[in-house]
Amino acid sequence: MAHLLQTTFLPSSSPLIRRNQTYILRISGSRTRVNAKIREIFMPALSSTMTEGKIVSWVRSEGDKLCKGESVVVVESDKADMDVETFYDGYLAKIMVDEGGVASVGSAIALLAESEDEIAEAQAKAAASGSPSSETSNSAAVVAAVPHPQPEKVKLAEPAAVTVGSAVHPASEGGKRIVASPYAKKLAKELKVELARVVGSGPKGRIVAKDVEAAAAVAGPAASVAAAGPAGIELASVMPFTTMQGAVSRNMVESLAVPTFRVGYTITTDALDALYKKIKSKGVTMTALLAKATALALVHHPVVNSSCRDGNSFIYNSSINIAVAVAVDGGLITPVLQDADKADIYTLSRKWKELVDKARAKLLQPHEYNTGTFTLSNLGMFGVDRFDAIIPPGTGAIMAVGASEPTVVATKDGRIGMKNQMQVNVTADHRVIYGADLASFLQTLAKIIEDPRDLTF
């Protein structure tokens, strides 16, 4: 057999010693484990910035038989909740990290046995090792993980590989476990809704916020009273960061290493406001209009759309991807409108609504939040007239947008008039972008907003 494959079979340890019938198959200089009876299920890297993950819930229990592609565990990454699937048939022999526990990327969170006969052996090895990261198993289990609905294969650590996918069991299956979005769980707690009695309408039966709200409405007025109650915050208590808060914290600390400067500009928005009122009924959002205007301005100023990562060079990004900051339960995320300069305003608005819905349900895929080349942060809807934003690592600039407010101004003929104006402040990486670059970009942006005819083409 080895001759036919032009390969060599080698024992996994010293010559002539077999360890649980595990061998190493050498192919073109690489080594791959085969015939493993006990495998580790690793904590997958679900995003480029993820260093550790939190176990939200185990979908299956110890001793359960698993089929390839079946969801095993829900993992909270730094940006989203994702369902991890097994890439092998077998039995869930041992859960090594309980629900609510945190594990580093690449460390073992469970053991997968090939047959029922190996379950006891796997549990004994786990008890003896006392550490998820120890070499308890003979090879690594390949797991799959992807946020619904678009499966995508991602390389994990050798020899494991991961893909990310949606849950494969209903939100409530036989009363064993409940799969719900984090926001739905929070909402259920506030409205005093029992999730076990809620039928999920999300992907594969996942409970989402609207399901909880519907259940609360059926329950009657008492639910409304509960929603208006205190948030349940315990004063003087010390709370650890959530996974998302930890990621935000690391990014902000990293941003301190970037030399930045800020430039502000006042833009008249009368024409933009009139356009928005005209096309709002067609589903167009102000966020999409601002993103489109920004993208069109960046076409003429590619250096403002560039990025510096190593301190020695910078990249003129080939795409204009506008990331927009969105507050979500327990943190902040920046969904990305990709190729915003090329999409029409109606497509852009539909895409933005889809991204926001996925962000609040923690279902964004990594490329939907980590591919931005320029960032917008808009607090105008809260009445904030001006503020400064912190530049995200790996990007060249971020623009803070304030509210559009009626302002008394002097007209060109020397008279006093009233115009709606907004203040924008751009924070930029001074290693790449200079003051004149930003000033020129803001002039172009103002012209587009003050004469927004190009935004609807």
Side-chain angles (χ1 to χ4, degrees):
M1 182 66 174
H3 172 71
L4 293 175
L5 291 174
Q6 295 183 345
T7 62
T8 303
F9 287 93
L10 299 176
S12 60
S13 56
S14 59
L16 303 181
I17 296 178
R18 292 175 21 166
R19 186 176 300 171
N20 284 348
Q21 298 182 2
T22 301
Y23 294 90
I24 295 175
L25 174 64
R26 185 185 298 277
I27 304 176
S28 302
S30 64
R31 296 166 63 136
T32 305
R33 297 177 184 267
V34 297
N35 293 337
K37 289 189 176 183
I38 303 173
R39 298 183 172 92
E40 290 179 342
I41 297 179
F42 287 130
M43 173 64 72
L46 303 176
S47 73
S48 59
T49 59
M50 179 176 169
T51 58
E52 61 182 23
K54 180 180 179 180
I55 304 298
V56 176
S57 64
W58 283 97
V59 178
R60 305 306 300 270
S61 303
E62 289 185 2
D64 286 355
K65 180 173 175 57
L66 304 177
C67 297
K68 178 180 177 180
E70 191 170 12
S71 182
V72 180
V73 61
V74 180
V75 172
E76 178 187 354
S77 71
D78 51 1
K79 299 294 183 183
D81 286 357
M82 300 183 183
D83 297 271
V84 178
E85 303 171 353
T86 177
F87 208 60
Y88 286 102
D89 294 337
Y91 292 83
L92 183 57
K94 178 65 178 177
I95 293 175
M96 304 177 73
V97 181
D98 293 329
E99 293 182 0
V102 176
S104 301
V105 169
S107 63
I109 58 175
L111 295 181
L112 183 71
E114 186 176 353
S115 66
E116 286 186 284
D117 296 336
E118 280 77 44
I119 293 179
E121 181 182 352
Q123 292 176 343
K125 285 177 176 286
S129 67
S131 171
S133 60
S134 65
E135 303 214 359
T136 304
S137 68
N138 298 303
S139 76
V142 178
V143 293
V146 172
H148 182 83
Q150 301 175 10
E152 176 186 1
K153 297 219 170 180
V154 183
K155 191 73 177 170
L156 188 63
E158 289 297 330
V162 297
T163 63
V164 178
S166 63
V168 297
H169 94 279
S172 181
E173 184 177 351
K176 289 174 61 178
R177 296 190 186 280
I178 297 171
V179 178
S181 71
Y183 181 61
K185 292 178 182 178
K186 179 177 181 293
L187 198 59
K189 185 176 181 180
E190 293 175 353
L191 300 180
K192 296 184 179 179
V193 173
E194 189 176 348
L195 284 177
R197 300 182 180 274
V198 178
V199 177
S201 64
K204 302 294 179 70
R206 188 186 187 97
I207 298 173
V208 295
K210 66 179 182 180
D211 302 324
V212 177
E213 292 170 347
V218 172
S224 299
V225 175
I233 297 175
E234 185 179 349
L235 300 180
S237 60
V238 178
M239 301 298 295
F241 279 163
T242 64
T243 307
M244 180 178 286
Q245 288 171 330
V248 172
S249 175
R250 290 190 297 272
N251 286 341
M252 295 302 96
V253 171
E254 184 180 344
S255 295
L256 294 177
V258 178
T260 59
F261 72 106
R262 297 165 179 82
V263 175
Y265 205 93
T266 301
I267 301 176
T268 300
T269 63
D270 290 329
L272 183 67
D273 294 338
L275 175 63
Y276 176 57
K277 289 179 181 178
K278 182 179 178 181
I279 60 179
K280 180 181 179 181
S281 61
K282 298 180 181 179
V284 174
T285 66
M286 180 57 75
T287 297
L289 284 169
L290 291 173
K292 180 70 173 180
T294 301
L296 293 178
L298 288 172
V299 170
H300 302 286
H301 304 277
V303 69
V304 183
N305 191 52
S306 65
S307 58
C308 174
R309 296 183 179 273
D310 59 6
N312 298 311
S313 61
F314 67 98
I315 300 172
Y316 284 111
N317 291 302
S318 58
S319 300
I320 297 177
N321 299 334
I322 305 298
V324 185
V326 173
V328 295
D329 182 37
L332 179 74
I333 197 167
T334 53
V336 177
L337 289 167
Q338 299 185 6
D339 295 315
D341 57 316
K342 299 174 182 177
D344 65 80
I345 192 63
Y346 305 103
T347 301
L348 213 58
S349 295
R350 289 193 297 270
K351 183 62 177 178
W352 176 242
K353 184 180 184 305
E354 175 190 332
L355 288 171
V356 171
D357 289 343
K358 292 177 71 174
R360 288 176 177 161
K362 300 189 74 175
L363 291 174
L364 286 175
Q365 298 183 40
H367 74 272
E368 292 176 318
Y369 61 77
N370 64 10
T371 56
T373 59
F374 186 95
T375 307
L376 290 180
S377 182
N378 183 8
L379 293 180
M381 70 285 290
F382 299 107
V384 176
D385 59 353
R386 69 188 66 192
F387 68 102
D388 290 326
I390 300 175
I391 186 171
T395 60
I398 182 172
M399 184 165 70
V401 181
S404 176
E405 298 178 332
T407 307
V408 177
V409 298
T411 61
K412 292 182 179 179
D413 57 4
R415 298 185 180 185
I416 300 297
M418 185 77 72
K419 292 185 177 181
N420 289 326
Q421 293 185 330
M422 71 177 182
Q423 178 78 25
V424 298
N425 292 331
V426 182
T427 303
D429 185 344
H430 213 334
R431 296 173 298 178
V432 182
I433 304 168
Y434 305 135
D437 298 322
L438 277 192
S440 181
F441 161 74
L442 288 170
Q443 285 180 333
T444 302
L445 177 65
K447 290 178 181 178
I448 293 172
I449 290 178
E450 292 170 2
D451 183 12
R453 290 174 294 179
D454 291 343
L455 296 182
T456 54
F457 294 125

